[in-house]
């Protein structure tokens, strides 16, 4: 029987030393380690990254919310050149800087086991968006990634265009987060992309961007399943085009729209989608209600799912460990 150990640890800095020793042990059964928001800084990141170079058991490491900074990012980039066991690495809101991002993209050119990476909200101040160029060059070469989370990166249209060049040549990724470049992203979708999940929350794709995406979603061969366009300054025409895309796309099942301009025609369209069963309450973040004969939408606290790859892996492992009937 396979034993999967999942540990959620709330620690102070000195305990990181103990955990680094634990993860270094070759016979440990630890598979998933969650150290999010534990005030781990550069030295702790160095210890953890160093211990993982010789580790052959840990599959998932989540460090989001720890300010490991530039050097911490470089330490984990060096680890990924050696470790060929880790499958999920979460470094969101870790104050990664440009050199760390470039180092990670370089390491991912040769790493063959990592499936999911989250580097959201890095501290990137260069207008040239060099990191996007490096990630674009990495994407056609990498053969293992299926999830790449790039939320809150401040991507401009130019940066999205650069990243799209790599996306067009990558045939594995199913989850990417981008900003503003909806036109470039729609071209990727039209090219029979394997993208299954797109998060464009908190950007400004507006009506034209929503319409570009709607057209691409309806193209034959689109496999997009989940889309979030929350808080994108989209009004009636853009949201109605997305509602139409949901009607005409057999693949798209989840859509999240809260934070846009939800005028009555939009409310009526989503009420119809829910009433007909084309959309279920669990697959969106809005719920219709009526007052004095007018339809409005209330917010449901449902969000785009993250870590789909590792969730799928855990479910498969649980199924394989269950006794045969």
């Amino acid at each position: 029987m396979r034993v999967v150990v999942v540990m959620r640890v709330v620690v102070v800095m000195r305990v990181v030393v103990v955990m680094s020793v634990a993860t270094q042990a070759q016979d440990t059964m630890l598979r998933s380690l969650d150290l999010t928001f534990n005030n781990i800084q550069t030295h702790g990141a160095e210890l953890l990254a160093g211990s993982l170079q010789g580790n052959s058991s840990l599959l998932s490491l989540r460090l989001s919310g720890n300010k490991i900074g530039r050097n911490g990012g470089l330490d984990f980039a060096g680890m990924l050149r050696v470790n060929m066991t880790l499958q999920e690495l979460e470094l969101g809101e870790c104050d990664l800087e440009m050199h760390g991002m470039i180092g990670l993209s370089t390491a991912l050119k040769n790493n063959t086991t990592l499936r999911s990476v989250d580097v959201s909200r890095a501290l990137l101040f260069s207008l040239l968006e060099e990191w996007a160029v490096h990630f674009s060059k990495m994407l056609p070469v990498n053969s293992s990634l299926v999830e790449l989370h790039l939320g809150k990166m401040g991507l401009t249209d130019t940066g999205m265009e650069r990243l799209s060049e790599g996306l067009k040549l990558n045939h594995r990724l199913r989850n990417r987060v981008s900003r503003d470049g909806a036109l470039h992203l729609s071209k990727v979708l039209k090219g029979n992309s394997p993208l299954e999940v797109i998060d464009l929350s908190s950007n400004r794709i507006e009506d034209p961007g929503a319409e570009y995406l709607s057209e691409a979603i309806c193209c034959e061969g689109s496999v997009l399943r989940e889309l979030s366009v929350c808080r994108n300054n989209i009004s009636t025409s853009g949201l109605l085009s997305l509602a139409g895309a949901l009607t005409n796309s057999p693949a798209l099942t989840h859509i999240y729209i809260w934070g846009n301009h939800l005028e009555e025609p939009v409310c009526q369209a989503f009420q119809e989608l829910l009433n007909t069963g084309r959309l279920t309450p669990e697959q969106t973040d809005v719920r219709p209600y009526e007052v004095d004969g007018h339809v409005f939408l209330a917010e449901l606290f449902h969000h785009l799912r993250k870590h789909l790859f590792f969730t799928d892996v855990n479910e498969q492992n649980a199924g394989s460990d269950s006794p045969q009937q």
Side-chain angles (χ1 to χ4, degrees):
M1 176 182 293
R2 181 188 293 108
V3 178
V4 178
V5 181
V6 179
M7 184 176 292
R8 173 68 175 100
V9 185
V10 179
V11 295
V12 294
M13 181 61 201
R14 62 180 178 273
V15 182
V16 174
V17 179
V18 178
M19 292 308 303
S20 70
V21 173
T23 55
Q24 193 169 22
Q26 293 300 305
D27 60 349
T28 179
M29 299 304 295
L30 191 64
R31 295 290 182 266
S32 180
L33 179 60
D34 188 338
L35 292 168
T36 53
F37 296 96
N38 267 292
N39 198 30
I40 298 170
Q41 299 181 20
T42 301
H43 182 56
E46 180 184 1
L47 291 171
L48 282 169
S51 69
L52 285 173
Q53 290 191 15
N55 183 279
S56 61
S57 61
L58 194 69
L59 301 179
S60 173
L61 175 63
R62 297 182 179 178
L63 283 175
S64 287
N66 294 292
K67 307 307 181 183
I68 66 173
R70 169 182 172 173
N71 290 337
L74 291 172
D75 287 331
F76 278 99
M79 177 273 293
L80 290 176
R81 295 174 182 270
V82 179
N83 181 292
M84 292 298 165
T85 302
L86 196 67
Q87 297 181 8
E88 178 187 40
L89 178 61
E90 184 185 286
L91 297 175
E93 300 185 51
C94 282
D95 288 357
L96 299 178
E97 297 182 4
M98 186 68 71
H99 288 85
M101 290 290 289
I102 293 174
L104 287 167
S105 68
T106 301
L108 288 172
K109 287 182 177 180
N110 298 310
N111 185 284
T112 58
T113 56
L114 204 63
R115 302 289 189 267
S116 176
V117 179
D118 188 339
V119 288
S120 299
R121 207 170 190 172
L123 298 182
L124 305 168
F125 303 107
S126 172
L127 297 177
L128 298 178
E129 296 179 293
E130 296 96 331
W131 73 269
V133 176
H134 283 270
F135 269 73
S136 180
K137 292 179 179 178
M138 174 273 294
L139 288 170
V141 178
N142 181 278
S143 61
S144 61
L145 278 179
V146 294
E147 290 190 29
L148 176 58
H149 298 270
L150 300 173
K152 301 178 182 178
M153 301 292 281
L155 264 175
T156 64
D157 286 337
T158 301
M160 187 61 230
E161 183 176 10
R162 298 289 180 269
L163 199 59
S164 294
E165 293 170 359
L167 293 177
K168 291 176 183 177
L169 300 174
N170 181 286
H171 301 291
R172 291 185 59 86
L173 279 180
R174 68 182 186 186
N175 185 324
R176 302 107 185 220
V177 183
S178 58
R179 176 179 178 175
D180 291 340
L183 174 60
H184 304 298
L185 192 56
S186 70
K187 292 178 180 178
V188 174
L189 287 172
K190 288 179 179 179
N192 292 321
S193 167
L195 273 170
E196 296 181 16
V197 183
I198 296 177
D199 187 349
L200 290 168
S201 303
S202 302
N203 292 297
R204 292 185 65 85
I205 70 170
E206 301 180 330
D207 288 340
E211 290 163 4
Y212 289 136
L213 289 174
S214 299
E215 181 183 349
I217 290 167
C218 292
C219 287
E220 184 179 357
S222 173
V223 296
L224 188 69
R225 294 188 290 122
E226 303 189 24
L227 173 66
S228 177
V229 290
C230 300
R231 301 174 298 279
N232 264 280
N233 198 34
I234 307 172
S235 58
T236 300
S237 63
L239 291 169
L240 288 179
S241 68
L242 288 170
L246 188 65
T247 300
N248 295 310
S249 170
L252 190 63
T253 57
H254 295 66
I255 189 166
Y256 305 90
I257 63 168
W258 187 256
N260 294 294
H261 303 288
L262 305 179
E263 298 174 349
E264 189 161 18
V266 175
C267 300
Q268 292 171 341
F270 276 82
Q271 181 185 51
E272 180 68 15
L273 289 168
L274 286 159
N275 285 345
T276 60
R278 178 61 187 86
L279 196 60
T280 69
E282 293 75 25
Q283 296 170 334
T284 188
D285 59 349
V286 293
R287 177 180 59 83
Y289 65 96
E290 294 188 25
V291 177
D292 296 332
H294 296 281
V295 181
F296 301 89
L297 292 176
E299 182 181 12
L300 293 176
F301 292 98
H302 298 160
H303 306 285
L304 194 73
R305 296 174 296 164
K306 290 182 67 175
H307 312 297
L308 294 182
F309 163 75
F310 210 73
T311 300
D312 292 346
V313 168
N314 285 338
E315 289 175 352
Q316 291 169 8
N317 286 341
S320 64
D321 291 337
S322 61
Q324 298 297 318
Q325 300 295 325

